[in-house]
Structures are given as C-alpha cells and as structure tokens.
C-alpha cells in the first residue's frame, strides 16, 4: 500500500433537529441522526454522511455504527477502496457504504482538482431541477403552493395515504382549484393502499394536475402495478420497495414508468449511477432523492443527480427541513440547485467556513 494514498477515517456523530416533524404513511421522525464521515489523505479531506433510515430501505443505526467502526479501524487505500465499493453488489449496510464512498469520492476529486460530478460523468450539468417537499397533504394550504410557485418550483411533493381517500381526494380538489399556473402535484403514498383503494384513488386523480404517484401499494406486485399504470395518465413510481433488490432489477420488465433512487439505500454513488443509466436506457424515468440528510450527504447526492442529468425535478430540496446543519447546503434558486466548478462535492463543515 502506498503511504501517500492511505486514508484515515474520522467519525463524528450528530443529531440535527427538524423544523417540524417529517410524517408519512410509513411513520416519521423529528430529527436526523448519523455520523459525519471524514476521509483524509495527502493533507486533504473528503466528507460523507451516514444517516440510516430503515423505513427507506437502509440498515439500522446499530448496523451502520458497527460497519463504520470497522472501516475506521482498517487500513484503507483510496483507489482500491473506491474500486471495491463501485464494483461490489449491494451489501447489508448501504447507508454506511454510501457515506464512505461519498467521502472517498469527495477526497479523490479534491486531490484531482475536479468537481465530483465531472469525475462521475464528463457531461454532468451545473444545476439540478428539484421539487418542493411540502410534507403531508392534510397540512398543506394554498399559501404553501403560492410560495413554492414564487420560488420557481414546477412540482410540489405531497405525502398522501395518511387519512381516508375521500378526505384526501377532496383536499386535492380544493388545492388544485388554487394551484398557480405551471405547478403540478407529485404524490407519495408510501405504500398506504391495497389494490382496490389504489385503483379508486388513481381513477379519481385522472382529471387533476398530478405529475406522478409514488408507492401506491402496501404489498407491491408487478401484475397489479402494471394494471394500475395502465389506467394512470401519469407515471407511477417505485421507491422503498425496490431499494433492496436494485441490483436484480430488469429495466425492460418494470411495471411502472418511474423509479425513485435514494443513493443511501442503493448503497453508493457509482452503484446508483450505473442503475440510473440502465433504467434510462430502457425508457424508465429516474428521480434521485435524499433521506433528509445533512448537507454532507446532500452535496454529493446533488453532484450525482447532475451527473445523471435527468430533466425531471429531483427530490433534493430538503435542506430547509433541518433547523441546523453541518454546513451550508447547495444553493437553491428558481427551482434549481446550483453547483460550483470547485473541486470536490462542494461541502464544507460549518467550522471551516
């Protein structure tokens, strides 16, 4: 092992309170807890964020902590470890592996003097369109939609499946009547419904400005999803239900038009990039979303989204859900996250600013 490429890891635990509780049909949380992962070599540092969220398809915090501890105690070579992470199948600790790869990719791109996204794809873009994450439908008001439109968003995401379908459908109709021009609704049921309820809701949504509907079924199966997609005039999307099986996905046989990818649940930047390329090649829409991570996780995830280059608004405008953060998030302007040309991911801890 070459001493100059040997990496030292440092782990700093954190707890970040949210501005308000995050709620969905799968449950919720009022704070994000995890570890800032720091990789150091040749006098430079790279950063990653391990913030496990089992409901979204990651390992438990206890498993992540054991994995990170073992990594910190190991002798790691920058290039060898990056190659191993990029080529290995998804392991049992995707959030920890994602954090390590982010830190190493950040470090490698800083040492190379290039942005992280250019290291992933030479054609990477400099800005990423994003949706506004407004939270539960039942807590959303016309003023929230108006503020999102003024901020330049084209899509707002709402959590549904949290009360009865008739009540939610009426709320959607009421909001649609006040929807600013050019703004559409991205709905996420988080697996709330049985097939009959999902069919009823999708049929009722046909005349509303719905951009997509994520995870409609509590127990997804391909034939039922295909039947639901056939009656939906908008894309249905899968998210949590495919994360653990991402390596085995056959893009040509998917029953829906869109797949949501969370790199911390998929297990890394390169693994997510490879899967996104396969999906896009088969005509499947791709949306990258965060786990409401700190800025240390949001920066490399946004760099990844820029490398993938999907024109669909991505689920990465989540920084405003955190009351405090580990550093400044990617700047948001007119519905886009903007990325600098500086080396690395763009993240800098607050104490370095």
């Amino acid at each position: 092992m070459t001493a100059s490429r040997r990496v030292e890891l440092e782990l700093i635990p954190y707890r970040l309170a949210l501005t308000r509780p995050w709620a969905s049909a799968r449950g919720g949380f009022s704070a994000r807890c995890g570890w800032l992962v720091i990789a150091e070599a040749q006098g430079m540092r790279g950063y990653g964020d391990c913030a496990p969220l089992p409901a979204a398809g990651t390992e438990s915090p206890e498993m992540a902590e054991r994995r990170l501890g073992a990594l910190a105690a190991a002798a790691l070579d920058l290039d060898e470890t990056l190659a191993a992470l990029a080529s290995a199948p998804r392991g049992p600790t995707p959030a920890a592996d994602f954090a390590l790869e982010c830190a190493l990719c950040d470090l490698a791109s800083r040492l190379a003097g290039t942005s992280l996204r250019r290291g992933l794809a030479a054609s990477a873009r400099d800005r990423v369109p994003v949706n506004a994450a407004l939270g539960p439908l039942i807590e959303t008001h016309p003023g929230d939609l108006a503020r999102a439109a003024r901020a330049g968003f084209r899509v707002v995401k709402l959590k549904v499946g949290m009360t009865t379908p008739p009540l939610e459908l009426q709320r959607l109709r009421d909001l649609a009547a006040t929807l600013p021009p050019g703004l559409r609704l991205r709905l996420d049921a988080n697996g709330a419904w049985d097939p009959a309820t999902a069919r009823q809701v999708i049929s009722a949504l046909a005349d509303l400005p719905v951009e997509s509907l994520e995870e409609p079924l509590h127990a997804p199966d391909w034939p039922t999803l295909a039947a639901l997609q056939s009656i939906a005039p908008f894309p249905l999307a899968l998210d949590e239900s495919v994360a653990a099986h991402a390596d085995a996905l056959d893009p040509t046989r998917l029953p829906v038009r869109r797949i949501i990818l969370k790199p911390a649940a998929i297990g890394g930047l390169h693994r997510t990039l490879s899967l996104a390329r396969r999906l896009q090649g088969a005509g499947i829409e791709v949306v990258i979303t965060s786990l409401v991570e700190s800025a240390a996780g949001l920066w490399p995830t946004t760099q990844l989204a820029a490398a993938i280059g999907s024109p669909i608004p991505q689920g990465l405008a989540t920084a405003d859900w955190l009351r405090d953060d580990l550093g400044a998030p990617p700047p948001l302007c007119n519905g886009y996250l903007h990325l600098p040309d500086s080396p690395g991911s763009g993240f800098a801890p607050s104490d370095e600013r």
Side-chain angles (χ1 to χ4, degrees):
M1 182 180 296
T2 304
S4 63
R5 301 297 283 187
R6 178 166 177 162
V7 176
E8 300 292 336
L9 289 186
E10 181 181 0
L11 310 174
I12 301 178
Y14 69 80
R15 182 184 187 278
L16 301 173
L18 269 61
T19 55
R20 58 190 174 107
W22 181 275
S24 76
R26 292 187 189 273
F29 46 88
S30 59
R32 292 298 280 124
C33 301
W35 295 266
L36 176 64
V37 178
I38 306 173
E40 185 169 357
Q42 297 182 344
M44 285 195 176
R45 288 181 161 191
Y47 301 92
D49 181 12
C50 180
L53 194 63
T58 78
E59 72 272 28
S60 68
E62 293 77 16
M63 291 179 64
E65 186 174 23
R66 287 195 295 271
R67 170 68 167 161
L68 291 175
L71 290 168
L76 301 179
D77 176 82
L78 177 58
D79 303 296
E80 291 177 1
T81 307
L82 272 177
L85 287 169
S87 61
R90 180 184 186 272
T93 55
D97 294 341
F98 162 75
L100 174 63
E101 188 183 16
C102 286
L104 296 181
C105 283
D106 186 18
L107 174 60
S109 55
R110 290 174 192 259
L111 290 171
T114 186
S115 65
L116 195 158
R117 66 188 181 280
R118 305 288 181 213
L120 295 172
S123 60
R125 302 180 179 183
D126 295 328
R127 62 177 192 167
V128 176
V130 289
N131 65 258
L134 299 188
L137 166 66
I138 55 177
E139 298 176 6
T140 302
H141 302 281
D144 300 317
L145 303 178
R147 281 188 290 274
R150 288 196 298 271
F153 291 104
R154 296 180 286 123
V155 173
V156 295
K157 184 172 181 177
L158 302 172
K159 297 288 187 177
V160 297
M162 301 178 67
T163 185
T164 65
L167 285 176
E168 290 195 328
L169 288 168
Q170 186 56 55
R171 185 60 174 258
L172 282 169
R173 294 188 190 99
D174 293 342
L175 285 177
T178 69
L179 202 65
L183 197 63
R184 293 191 295 162
L185 306 174
R186 178 176 290 178
L187 308 178
D188 187 356
N190 288 112
W193 303 318
D194 59 37
T197 303
R199 177 174 288 271
Q200 171 196 358
V201 172
I202 289 170
S203 297
L205 292 175
D207 61 344
L208 295 177
V210 175
E211 185 262 356
S212 63
L213 171 63
E214 300 174 18
E215 290 287 357
L217 295 179
H218 177 66
D221 69 85
W222 265 212
T224 302
L225 283 166
L228 292 175
Q229 182 64 89
S230 70
I231 66 168
F234 43 78
L236 300 185
L238 293 177
D239 184 353
E240 298 92 348
S241 62
V242 300
H245 314 289
D247 291 336
L249 281 183
D250 181 352
T252 65
R253 300 177 64 86
L254 288 173
V256 297
R257 291 163 50 189
R258 180 178 295 181
I259 296 293
I260 312 300
L261 300 179
K262 291 181 170 67
I266 301 299
L269 297 173
H270 284 89
R271 185 174 294 113
T272 305
L273 176 63
S274 176
L275 177 56
R277 292 285 187 246
R278 290 196 292 120
L279 291 167
Q280 290 175 321
I284 302 297
E285 298 174 352
V286 170
V287 171
I288 303 297
T289 68
S290 79
L291 288 180
V292 197
E293 294 131 326
S294 76
L298 191 56
W299 273 102
T301 303
T302 305
Q303 295 273 355
L304 170 66
I308 292 170
S310 172
I312 301 167
Q314 308 289 286
L316 299 173
T318 54
D320 61 350
W321 280 82
L322 296 175
R323 182 172 298 155
D324 299 301
D325 209 334
L326 303 182
L332 173 63
C333 181
N334 201 31
Y336 287 83
L337 293 179
H338 295 258
L339 295 170
D341 286 326
S342 55
S345 72
F347 172 75
S350 296
D351 59 3
E352 291 185 9
R353 287 184 175 272

